[in-house]
Amino acid sequence: MSFIPGQPVTAVVQRIEIRKLRQGEHLILGFSIGGGIDQDPGQNPFSEDKSDKGIYVTRVTPGGPAEVAGLMMGDKVMQVNGWDMTMVTHDQARKRLTKKNEDVVRLLVTRKSLEQAVRHSMM
Amino acid sequence: MFCRNQTTRATVARCSALEMEIRRGRFRRSVFLETLQDSDIQKKIDHEIRMRDGACKLLAACTQRDQALEASKSLLTCNTRIMAYMSELQRMKEAQVMQRVARRSSEAGPTDDRRPCKGKVAISDLRIPLMWKDTEYFKNKGELHRCAVFCLLQMGGEIHDTDMVMVDRTLTDICFDNTIVFNEASPGFDLRVELYSCSSEEDYSAGSTPRKLASKLSSSLGRSAGKKLRAAVDPGAGSPTGGGATLLLPVPAVAGPKYHLLAHTSLSLAHVQDNFRTHDLITSGNEECTYWVPLYGSVCCRLAAQPDCMNQQMMSGCLKVKLGGDPQSSTNVYGVLKGTNLSCYHRQEDIESNVEPAFTIAINKETRIRASEKDPDSNVQSISISNLYGGEEVTHTVSADSRQETHRWMEAFWQHFYDMSQWKQCCDDLMKIDLPSPRKAALVTSKQGSLYHEMVIDTAGDIGTVTDILTRRMQELELRSQLGTSPPWMSLFAESPGRQRSPRLAGHSPRTPRRLPRSPLSPSRCPRPSLLSSDASLTSDSDSPCSTSPCSRHGGLAEPLSLPSSRFRPRTLSLDAKLSTLRGRGYGGALQCSCQPPTSSLTPIPAQRVSQATLSCSSSTSSNSSSEGRRSPESLDSSPFSRPSSARRSLRSMRAKLDPRNWLQSQV
C-alpha cells in the first residue's frame, strides 16, 4: 500500500458501515486508530511499507460496533463518510470519526487480504 | 334545481349558463371542476402564502442579523415553493386540456405506457470545499468577513432547504448535516441543488421599497388573490396555454438581507450510489459580488435511492412451485415479490411472524421468465423462472390457481423487470437511507470553543492564574480524559519504573520544589497488578509540575475531589473528574487503581510517586508493547466501550501529542 506522491492511488477497498453506540451522551465506535501525517510511520506495526503515514486500526474492541460491522485490526482507513483519511493528521482523523451529530460512519478500508483475494480470483 | 348526475363529480346548476355551454359541447365539465389534485395544490399554495406573509412580517420586525438571515431564508424557500406549485398547477391544467383535445380527436388507442415505480431519494452529508486565497488566511487585521449560506434542494414539486451555515475564512468546507428525503421520486428525477449566499455585513435597512408598500404587496397576495389566480389560470375552451402563463406572482420586495444564487448543479439517477461522490458545481457570480464565497468548484454528497420495488411487496399470493421439470416436487407456498427476490413462505402468517421463507427465488436482471404452455392436467398456464446459479441454470416452474392470478403474476414480473431497468443501479442492493434522529445532539460550544479563546489571563505569565482558569474550566465542563496522549515520559517508566521524572521537571515553573515524595497516598492505594487489557492513561501535560496522574479507568474512585486553591490541583482534579465520570459506567471494573490526590497541599512529586506506583503495574503491559520494538504508549481503553476523547484540548495533551516520538493511538 505504498504510494508515489503525485500519482493516483488505487486500492481494493471494503465498505464498512458502523453504527455508533450511544453510551449516555457519548457515541462510541469501538476501535482504536493509529498513524497520521504527523506521526512517526516507522512505529506502525500494521503497515507493510514503513513510510506509510495512513490511519490504521490498531485495536478492535470485541463485541463493539466496529467488530460487528466487520472492521479488523490492521485495516487501513482510506475514507470516512467521504472525507479522505490518507493524508490527515492523527487528530483530524480522530475528529472525523467522532462527530457528535453523526450516528453512522461509513468507512472505506483496505487490507492485504483483500488485494490477495482479488488477485487470486483473477488468476 | 340541481341535477345530480352519476357521471359527474359535482353538481351543475340546471339552466345555468355553464350548463348550457356544456350541453352545447363546448366545454367538458372536468375542465371547470376542481379535481382532487388541484385542491391539494391550492391548499399547499395557500399554506405557503401564509408562511411567506409570516416570514415577511418577521423580517420587517427583527433586529438581529441572525434572525433576519433566517427569515430571509424562509422567505426565499417559500417563494420558490410557491413558484413550483403554481407551475405545477399550470402544467396540470394544460395536461387536462391536452387530454381533452386528444380525446376529442379520438385518436388515442389504449396507451400501454408502463410507469416505473416511484422511490425515495435521499441526499445527505453535503459538503462543499472552499478555496481561500493564502492572503485571506494570513490576513489578521479586521474582522472576519462572513457569509451566510444554505442549500435549496428541489425535485419536481418538492423543495427543501438545509440549515443555514455561517462561512468565514476559518472554514475549509461548508458542511450541511441535514439528510433530506424526497418521497415521490421517479427514476428520471432531476434533483437541483442550489447554493445561496448572503453577506452578513450588509446594511439591511437600506431597503428599496418603503415599508408600507412592502406590507401591502405581501398582504395583497393572500388567499383571495390565490383563488382569483386559480380561476384565471383555469384555461378557457380554446386556449390551452391560458392566461396563467403570463400571470406570475410578483415576489414582494421587503427590506432585509437578500440571498443570491452562488452555485448550482443537477443530480440524477446516474449520480446515485451507495457511497460518497463528488460532483461539479456551476458557479455564478464572481469575486466582486458581496455574496461571493470562494468555492473550489465541487460538491461532495451521498445520494441514495430506494425504489419502491426494493422495499415494498410488489405482489403476493399463493403459488405452486416446481423445481426443475419434475412434476412430483410441487410445493404450495405463499409467494412475496419484493426487491430482488421471490420469497416463498409455507404459510401467509409466516411473514408477520418473521419466520424465514421456505426458499427464495432470485428475481434480478439476469433472471429469465417465460410463460410456458398450458399444463394439460390443470389447464393453467405456468411461469418458468430461470436463474444462473454459479454456472448452472436452475428453473422453477410457478403456477397460480387461476388464469387471472397467473396473468397478474406475469404482469407483476414484467412491471418488476421494467422497474429494475429504469432504476438501474439502485436495484442491485437496497441502499440505506438514514433518517435524521429527531433529537439533535446538544451543541457543545460556540465556534471558538478552544481553550485559548476562553482564557483571559490578567497577570501575565502567572502560572497560578492559568491553572486556576483550568481548574474552573474543568469544574464547569465534564472533562473526559484525553485518550491517546500519554506524555512522552511514560515511556521512561515503561523502561525503568524507578526513574524519576526529574529531567522533565527542570526548567519549568520555578515554584516546583524537588521534595522527597511523600507517601500519604501510596500505602492505601496499592494498585493491584491485574491490569488486563488496559493500560494507564496519562492525561496530564508533561511539563506541568504535578501533571502526571495516571489512572486506570476501572471502577471509581472514592469521592469526587473538593477543590482547594492549590495551584497543583488542576492536574489531579482532572483525574478525579474523569474517574468520577467513569464511575457511572460500570464496565470492566476489574482494577481499582486509585490515584486519589492528596487532600491538602500537594507537591508535584507525590503525584508523581503515585504515578510511579501505578505505573509499575502498568509498566508490565506497556513493556509488553514496547517489547514489540516500538515505543508506543497505548492509550486508555480499559472498558470495552470507553469514551472517545472530547473536542476540547488541554495544554497538556497538546504537548504530548506534539511530541514526535510517540506513535499516538486514539480510541474512537
Side-chain angles (χ1 to χ4, degrees):
Chain A
M1 297 175 231
S2 57
F3 69 95
I4 303 164
Q7 299 297 314
V9 176
T10 34
V12 182
V13 292
Q14 177 169 347
R15 272 188 234 156
I16 294 193
E17 185 177 298
I18 306 180
R19 297 205 160 257
K20 294 188 188 175
L21 185 64
R22 189 164 281 279
Q23 301 277 314
E25 320 174 353
H26 312 300
L27 287 169
I28 58 166
L29 290 152
F31 65 100
S32 300
I33 51 165
I37 53 177
D38 57 338
Q39 303 290 308
D40 175 12
Q43 297 184 40
N44 186 342
F46 301 105
S47 55
E48 268 189 60
D49 171 14
K50 290 302 169 193
S51 65
D52 183 1
K53 293 188 168 182
I55 304 291
Y56 282 80
V57 176
T58 56
R59 225 188 68 99
V60 178
T61 44
E67 193 195 35
V68 165
L71 194 67
M72 296 181 12
M73 188 165 83
D75 287 353
K76 176 175 174 186
V77 181
M78 308 292 279
Q79 257 190 36
V80 171
N81 279 355
W83 295 88
D84 171 62
M85 299 286 261
T86 59
M87 214 27 81
V88 291
T89 64
H90 184 88
D91 208 51
Q92 280 174 346
R94 182 185 56 80
K95 280 192 179 155
R96 293 208 182 138
L97 285 161
T98 53
K99 294 211 171 140
K100 278 195 194 291
N101 52 7
E102 283 175 357
D103 284 335
V104 178
V105 284
R106 293 186 170 87
L107 314 183
L108 289 184
V109 302
T110 184
R111 57 179 85 104
K112 254 189 301 185
S113 53
L114 285 179
E115 307 252 354
Q116 283 168 358
V118 171
R119 236 177 282 135
H120 284 153
S121 67
M122 293 203 294
M123 283 200 287
Chain B
M1 179 88 186
F2 286 90
C3 151
R4 235 167 252 278
N5 194 333
Q6 281 163 337
T7 58
T8 57
R9 277 161 292 174
T11 60
V12 178
R14 285 191 104 177
C15 305
S16 67
L18 183 58
E19 155 107 338
M20 295 314 292
E21 288 295 307
I22 288 173
R23 274 171 189 270
R24 284 198 206 112
R26 293 265 181 94
F27 313 126
R28 286 181 70 92
R29 282 175 206 201
S30 57
V31 168
F32 280 88
L33 301 171
E34 204 174 292
T35 64
L36 208 55
Q37 289 167 311
D38 284 1
S39 62
D40 265 351
I41 294 209
Q42 189 51 46
K43 278 198 199 81
K44 286 194 215 163
I45 293 181
D46 287 341
H47 176 73
E48 287 302 321
I49 289 179
R50 276 199 296 276
M51 297 274 289
R52 185 171 64 178
D53 290 346
C56 290
K57 291 196 182 80
L58 184 60
L59 199 55
C62 63
T63 50
Q64 301 267 353
R65 231 172 243 163
D66 289 344
Q67 286 175 1
L69 288 167
E70 284 285 346
S72 180
K73 171 170 90 93
S74 331
L75 190 61
L76 194 133
T77 313
C78 289
N79 279 334
T80 322
R81 283 199 181 122
I82 291 174
M83 301 284 275
Y85 292 147
M86 298 297 291
S87 48
E88 187 162 331
L89 199 61
Q90 172 70 20
R91 260 202 314 274
M92 273 173 27
K93 296 292 181 191
E94 283 178 19
Q96 279 174 7
V97 172
M98 292 317 243
Q99 247 184 357
R100 179 172 62 83
V101 169
R103 242 178 271 164
R104 256 208 196 153
S105 54
S106 67
E107 60 183 34
T111 44
D112 190 38
D113 51 350
R114 205 178 273 284
R115 297 242 172 83
C117 65
K118 302 263 178 194
K120 285 210 286 212
V121 172
I123 182 167
S124 61
D125 301 289
L126 274 157
R127 176 166 69 88
I128 300 170
L130 300 173
M131 190 173 62
W132 297 96
K133 286 213 278 249
D134 49 359
T135 48
E136 287 270 354
Y137 273 128
F138 300 117
K139 193 168 37 171
N140 279 324
K141 63 174 166 70
E143 51 178 49
L144 252 42
H145 171 70
R146 307 178 95 202
C147 271
V149 300
F150 75 97
C151 256
L152 202 67
L153 298 132
Q154 179 170 10
M155 182 193 293
E158 278 190 69
I159 295 178
H160 294 269
D161 60 347
T162 62
D163 294 334
M164 191 182 72
V165 172
M166 295 301 286
V167 176
D168 56 38
R169 66 171 181 266
T170 64
L171 224 56
T172 57
D173 300 75
I174 309 175
C175 295
F176 295 108
D177 298 326
N178 315 73
T179 304
I180 301 203
V181 180
F182 296 95
N183 283 308
E184 292 290 316
S186 61
F189 69 85
D190 178 35
L191 175 58
R192 204 175 140 85
V193 180
E194 291 172 346
L195 183 68
Y196 287 90
S197 73
C198 169
S199 163
S200 90
E201 279 140 17
E202 277 173 11
D203 187 11
Y204 303 142
S205 55
S208 49
T209 324
R211 296 243 163 151
K212 257 196 190 166
L213 184 55
S215 52
K216 219 178 180 186
L217 274 175
S218 58
S219 59
S220 70
L221 293 160
R223 196 179 178 84
S224 50
K227 277 216 168 88
K228 274 188 247 159
L229 212 51
R230 179 174 53 88
V233 162
D234 209 352
S239 56
T241 51
T246 54
L247 254 171
L248 284 177
L249 275 177
V251 173
V254 284
K258 260 202 69 84
Y259 282 93
H260 304 269
L261 181 65
L262 184 62
H264 70 274
T265 184
S266 264
L267 301 173
S268 62
L269 189 65
H271 301 114
V272 172
Q273 202 186 355
D274 194 10
N275 211 343
F276 294 88
R277 282 179 73 170
T278 310
H279 314 277
D280 290 324
L281 275 176
I282 302 158
T283 47
S284 38
N286 53 30
E287 277 184 31
E288 309 302 319
C289 312
T290 52
Y291 57 89
W292 170 252
V293 177
L295 303 177
Y296 183 76
S298 48
V299 57
C300 174
C301 66
R302 180 171 179 265
L303 187 63
Q306 272 183 0
D308 286 341
C309 62
M310 291 300 284
N311 62 1
Q312 283 175 18
Q313 287 187 9
M314 298 306 285
M315 176 78 192
S316 55
C318 290
L319 293 171
K320 264 202 271 280
V321 180
K322 261 189 287 206
L323 179 59
D326 186 6
Q328 308 302 331
S329 69
S330 128
T331 352
N332 282 328
V333 291
Y334 187 78
V336 172
L337 178 63
K338 177 171 151 178
T340 52
N341 289 315
L342 174 65
S343 313
C344 301
Y345 296 87
H346 282 304
R347 301 167 309 155
Q348 190 175 351
E349 300 74 40
D350 286 347
I351 309 172
E352 283 97 42
S353 46
N354 271 337
V355 175
E356 287 290 314
F359 53 91
T360 312
I361 307 174
I363 309 276
N364 52 35
K365 298 188 180 119
E366 279 91 46
T367 310
R368 284 194 322 279
I369 297 192
R370 306 188 299 277
S372 41
E373 315 87 35
K374 285 194 193 166
D375 194 9
D377 307 329
S378 51
N379 210 27
V380 174
Q381 259 189 323
S382 55
I383 306 167
S384 73
I385 305 171
S386 310
N387 277 306
L388 230 72
Y389 289 121
E392 275 184 34
E393 183 167 327
V394 177
T395 308
H396 295 269
T397 313
V398 159
S399 54
D401 299 328
S402 66
R403 254 193 105 97
Q404 284 108 324
E405 274 293 300
T406 313
H407 189 69
R408 279 180 54 213
W409 274 99
M410 277 307 283
E411 183 61 34
F413 286 133
W414 280 328
Q415 178 67 35
H416 205 68
F417 280 141
Y418 183 70
D419 291 340
M420 291 206 286
S421 73
Q422 292 294 300
W423 282 99
K424 300 194 180 103
Q425 74 270 22
C426 309
C427 291
D428 293 334
D429 219 346
L430 187 64
M431 292 188 196
K432 296 226 190 94
I433 290 183
D434 301 315
L435 288 170
S437 54
R439 171 176 47 91
K440 268 203 181 129
L443 292 175
V444 184
T445 49
S446 63
K447 245 187 110 152
Q448 298 188 326
S450 111
L451 188 63
Y452 295 107
H453 294 273
E454 291 187 13
M455 282 209 287
V456 175
I457 300 178
D458 305 308
T459 62
D462 187 353
I463 189 88
T465 324
V466 172
T467 51
D468 279 339
I469 292 169
L470 284 173
T471 311
R472 273 201 306 275
R473 185 181 170 79
M474 276 175 266
Q475 270 184 306
E476 292 158 9
L477 312 161
E478 201 194 10
L479 246 187
R480 299 174 198 129
S481 69
Q482 295 291 330
L483 300 167
T485 60
S486 348
W489 49 263
M490 167 60 173
S491 51
L492 295 175
F493 286 110
E495 286 153 15
S496 54
R499 215 196 305 173
Q500 291 269 339
R501 262 182 71 236
S502 31
R504 293 271 155 193
L505 288 176
H508 288 293
S509 168
R511 295 192 232 173
T512 59
R514 296 252 202 93
R515 291 184 233 141
L516 276 177
R518 274 192 264 151
S519 55
L521 326 161
S522 1
S524 52
R525 290 162 201 85
C526 255
R528 293 178 220 148
S530 59
L531 260 182
L532 306 167
S533 55
S534 61
D535 298 303
S537 119
L538 307 157
T539 60
S540 27
D541 197 39
S542 56
D543 62 344
S544 85
C546 75
S547 54
T548 64
S549 334
C551 72
S552 166
R553 256 178 147 179
H554 293 300
L557 262 204
E559 313 82 27
L561 194 63
S562 63
L563 235 236
S565 57
S566 160
R567 63 167 177 275
F568 300 130
R569 264 297 150 169
R571 307 304 173 191
T572 51
L573 172 64
S574 69
L575 168 61
D576 267 304
K578 283 185 290 283
L579 290 174
S580 52
T581 64
L582 291 167
R583 211 177 315 142
R585 293 188 221 287
Y587 291 116
L591 187 63
Q592 287 277 333
C593 189
S594 58
C595 311
Q596 197 166 15
T599 48
S600 58
S601 64
L602 283 181
T603 66
I605 318 278
Q608 178 196 342
R609 173 56 177 246
V610 172
S611 65
Q612 281 188 354
T614 40
L615 280 174
S616 56
C617 62
S618 62
S619 63
S620 53
T621 41
S622 46
S623 57
N624 283 340
S625 53
S626 58
S627 68
E628 284 174 60
R630 57 190 169 99
R631 216 162 40 142
S632 53
E634 284 257 351
S635 74
L636 178 76
D637 49 7
S638 58
S639 49
F641 304 120
S642 316
R643 305 277 355 307
S645 47
S646 81
R648 254 164 259 307
R649 283 194 211 160
S650 58
L651 276 169
R652 350 181 253 269
S653 57
M654 270 274 280
R655 305 270 172 116
K657 277 180 193 168
L658 290 175
D659 189 309
R661 277 171 297 175
N662 293 338
W663 196 66
L664 293 176
Q665 294 177 49
S666 303
Q667 173 112 21
V668 294

